[in-house]
Amino acid sequence: MNQSPQWRDGRFRNPQPLWNDTWGALSAMVRRDPNANPQAPLPVVHPTGADLVAEAPSGLRATWLGHSTVYLEVDGTRILTDPVWGLRASPFGWAGPRRFYAPLIPLEEVPVPQVVAISHDHYDHLDEGTLRRLKDWDTHFVTPLGVGARLVRWGVPAARITELDWWESVQVGGLEVVLTPARHASGRGLRDKDRTLWGGFAFRGPRHRVYFSGDTGLFQGLADIGERLGPFDLAMIEAGAYNPAWPDWHLGPEQAVQTFGMVRGRVLLPIHWGLFNLAAHGWTEPVERVLAAAGPQGIAVALPRPGEGFEPGGSLPTQRWWPVLPWKTAAEVPVRARLNGQPMLPEGGLP
C-alpha cells in the first residue's frame, strides 16, 4: 500500500477529489421520491446451479443477480462480482437499505466460480455475512489493495487472495483479471475512510473481454481503460444511486452511457440499480434515463430481469419488466461530474 502511487498521507487518493454539497445531499434524502421503493413484487428469475454452470455456446454469458452482483462466464472461466446475499446494505441487521427481493438462488447452490472479484469495501459491495459463508470456497478472491485483509479477518485463507493496485493483473487459468482505476472512495466506519483502495475490473479471456465498473464517477481515466484494455464485448456499468449534490461518487445514467463509449463497449449492462434504495430518486429512474440517453446513439442495452442470464453475442433481453412510474429526466435533475470543482461538459471537458 505504501508503494502505491494512489497512497498519500495515510490514505488512498483519487486523480481528482470528490466534490460534495452536504446540505444538498441531506435535503435530497429528506425529499426522497415516493417511488424510491417498489410497491409490488418484481418479476424476478430464480436461476438454478445448473443454469449458471451450463457452458455458454458463445463463450460469454452474464447473469445479473441484482445491484452489482453478476455471475459471469468468460471463455470457460466463471466469475462472481461483488457478491451480496445479505438482507441489508448496512453495518446493522436491523436498519439500513433493505433488499427489494430475496436472493435469487441460495448461496449454497451457486456453482463455485474460479474468481470472486470485489471492487471495494462499501457495504453494498462487500457483505461480511456473505464472505464468511464463502470462506471455504476453492476459488481465487481478487480485490483492490487492503480489502484482502478484511477477508482474512473473516476467515478467507490468505493464499486464496490477490490484492491489486490499479493496472495490475493476475492470471487465473486462461483469464487475465486487471484492476482498473475508478473515481470513488472506501471505508466501513468513521475512522477508516479511504484506507483501502477501490476500482473496477477488466476480465480478458482468449476470445472475449468484459468490463466491470465497480463504483466510479466520471474521469478521463475511463478512456485510458478503453484504449489499454478494450474493446469490451460487455460493459457492466453502474447507473444508479446518484444525485447532483454528490456527482463524482457515481456516474448516473447519462454518464454511464458516456462511459460506455469511453471504455469502448459493444453491449451495455446497467448495474448498481434495482435492489437497494441508496439515493433519493425513483427506483426505475436509472434504467429509464439510460434508455433515453442510449437510444439516440443506437447503443445495444441488455435489460435482463434479475436472475435472467443472457449472452451478449446473441439475442439480448430488451423487454421492459419494470412498472411504468414517474421519473425525473436528465434536464430536470442533471448529474454532471466535476473537474477542479467545475462541472464537466458531456464530452468530459470544462465549460
Side-chain angles (χ1 to χ4, degrees):
M1 291 167 62
N2 288 330
Q3 296 174 354
S4 170
Q6 282 60 252
W7 181 265
R8 295 190 303 276
D9 301 323
R11 299 181 187 276
F12 287 103
R13 309 286 176 170
N14 281 294
Q16 282 287 331
L18 305 177
W19 181 86
N20 294 286
D21 173 2
T22 303
W23 289 111
L26 292 173
S27 174
M29 298 310 285
V30 170
R31 295 180 287 105
R32 193 182 296 268
D33 191 287
N35 293 304
N37 292 293
Q39 302 302 310
L42 303 185
V44 300
V45 175
H46 294 278
T48 66
D51 293 331
L52 296 178
V53 80
E55 184 175 345
S58 69
L60 176 60
R61 180 177 55 225
T63 304
W64 179 50
L65 298 174
H67 203 58
S68 297
T69 302
V70 184
Y71 196 96
L72 285 168
E73 180 194 337
V74 181
D75 299 333
T77 300
R78 290 172 176 82
I79 306 146
L80 182 62
T81 65
D82 288 353
V84 174
W85 261 253
L87 177 65
R88 297 182 185 275
S90 168
F92 310 109
W94 48 270
R98 184 185 177 102
R99 302 177 67 102
F100 295 165
Y101 46 83
L104 302 175
I105 177 173
L107 192 55
E108 293 73 23
E109 297 179 13
V110 174
V112 176
Q114 284 83 13
V115 175
V116 173
I118 297 170
S119 64
H120 62 299
D121 68 5
H122 285 160
Y123 287 93
D124 57 320
H125 297 261
L126 179 64
D127 179 59
E128 179 178 351
T130 300
L131 267 295
R132 287 187 180 277
R133 295 167 64 189
L134 301 187
K135 64 182 177 62
D136 295 324
W137 274 15
D138 184 11
T139 189
H140 201 124
F141 295 86
V142 185
T143 78
L145 293 174
V147 178
R150 298 194 186 278
L151 274 58
V152 170
R153 286 198 295 272
W154 299 338
V156 177
R160 294 182 182 163
I161 302 170
T162 296
E163 292 189 340
L164 300 175
D165 201 348
W166 292 346
W167 301 116
E168 290 183 343
S169 65
V170 62
Q171 194 77 22
V172 182
L175 184 77
E176 182 187 21
V177 181
V178 186
L179 186 73
T180 56
R183 187 184 186 187
H184 196 55
S186 68
R188 294 171 71 84
L190 299 177
R191 303 176 62 182
D192 65 348
K193 177 174 170 53
D194 298 342
R195 297 298 178 89
T196 64
L197 188 58
W198 50 91
F201 287 98
F203 304 112
R204 303 184 354 139
R207 296 171 51 210
H208 296 96
R209 300 181 182 187
V210 175
Y211 172 64
F212 173 68
S213 70
D215 280 5
T216 185
L218 191 69
F219 71 116
Q220 283 300 316
L222 295 165
D224 296 336
I225 295 170
E227 288 297 321
R228 294 175 62 166
L229 302 173
F232 294 100
D233 301 283
L234 176 65
M236 308 185 299
I237 300 177
E238 59 102 332
Y242 51 86
N243 191 272
W246 30 279
D248 300 335
W249 287 72
H250 294 152
L251 290 165
E254 295 75 31
Q255 293 182 152
V257 172
Q258 182 178 345
T259 295
F260 175 79
M262 294 170 75
V263 302
R264 301 170 64 198
R266 291 170 176 160
V267 173
L268 171 62
L269 173 61
I271 60 172
H272 204 261
W273 76 283
L275 182 62
F276 295 113
N277 177 352
L278 301 176
H281 57 69
W283 80 269
T284 64
E285 184 179 297
V287 69
E288 296 284 10
R289 287 175 57 162
V290 163
L291 289 175
Q297 300 182 48
I299 292 172
V301 182
L303 304 169
R305 292 171 294 168
E308 179 183 4
F310 70 96
E311 297 186 42
S315 177
L316 298 180
T318 58
Q319 185 174 1
R320 291 170 175 262
W321 52 266
W322 58 92
V324 176
L325 298 172
W327 53 278
K328 298 291 196 304
T329 67
E332 293 174 290
V333 184
V335 179
R336 294 170 59 194
R338 292 183 172 238
L339 182 65
N340 299 322
Q342 300 183 60
M344 298 171 69
L345 295 174
E347 63 272 17
L350 283 171

